[in-house]
Amino acid sequence: MRTDPLTDEDEELIAAAKATLADCHVAGRHRCAAAMRSTTGEVYTSINLMTGGVTDVHAEPIALAKAVEAGDPDIETSVAVIYEDDDASNPAEVVAACGVCRELLHAFVPEVAIIVPGEDGPVRAPLSELLPASPY
């Protein structure tokens, strides 16, 4: 997989996601947060909504919707963080976007970079590197 090292802006994006998770975490309700940076430099954060059923909403679609609502839909970088075992005593860690979120991002911002875990810490990967061959 082709990846790039993080920039200072990427580190700030991770910090924004971690701060959102720390501020909003409720075990069993909100264990993941996302942060997205648009091409204008604005950052949009969100938290997931867990119901324990099919109505769960991931953090990435909420962050993207906030950017779209603000008239700033051109997202260049996205990151998600999670508390292992939904336990806030664990440090928040970068987690790769799930397949559903990858498909959603591909539909709206196919050129987005996703921050994912790497062997030596988080790295940036083009969304195209994280999706299988697609007919889209």
Side-chain angles (χ1 to χ4, degrees):
M1 174 173 61
R2 181 172 57 92
T3 63
D4 296 310
L6 298 184
T7 65
D8 290 342
E9 288 177 321
D10 294 334
E11 295 286 357
E12 291 171 6
L13 197 64
I14 293 169
K18 287 180 177 183
T20 297
L21 184 57
D23 290 346
C24 299
H25 177 259
V26 174
R29 289 288 187 190
H30 316 294
R31 70 176 276 204
C32 181
M36 294 184 179
R37 184 178 56 250
S38 73
T39 57
T40 67
E42 290 296 316
V43 172
Y44 301 91
T45 62
S46 64
I47 195 82
N48 73 321
L49 304 173
M50 296 168 56
T51 65
V54 296
T55 57
D56 288 356
V57 180
H58 295 187
E60 291 94 326
I62 298 170
L64 180 60
K66 290 168 83 174
V68 169
E69 182 181 23
D72 194 17
D74 297 324
I75 301 301
E76 68 177 17
T77 308
S78 177
V79 66
V81 298
I82 196 167
Y83 285 136
E84 183 78 26
D85 299 323
D86 198 14
D87 183 348
S89 68
N90 293 320
E93 298 291 337
V94 170
V95 63
C98 76
V100 172
C101 290
R102 292 176 197 190
E103 289 288 338
L104 175 92
L105 291 170
H106 183 268
F108 284 90
V109 286
E111 301 302 317
V112 68
I114 308 293
I115 298 174
V116 297
E119 287 184 22
D120 298 317
V123 294
R124 292 170 56 92
L127 177 60
S128 61
E129 292 285 320
L130 304 174
L131 288 174
S134 173
Y136 300 121

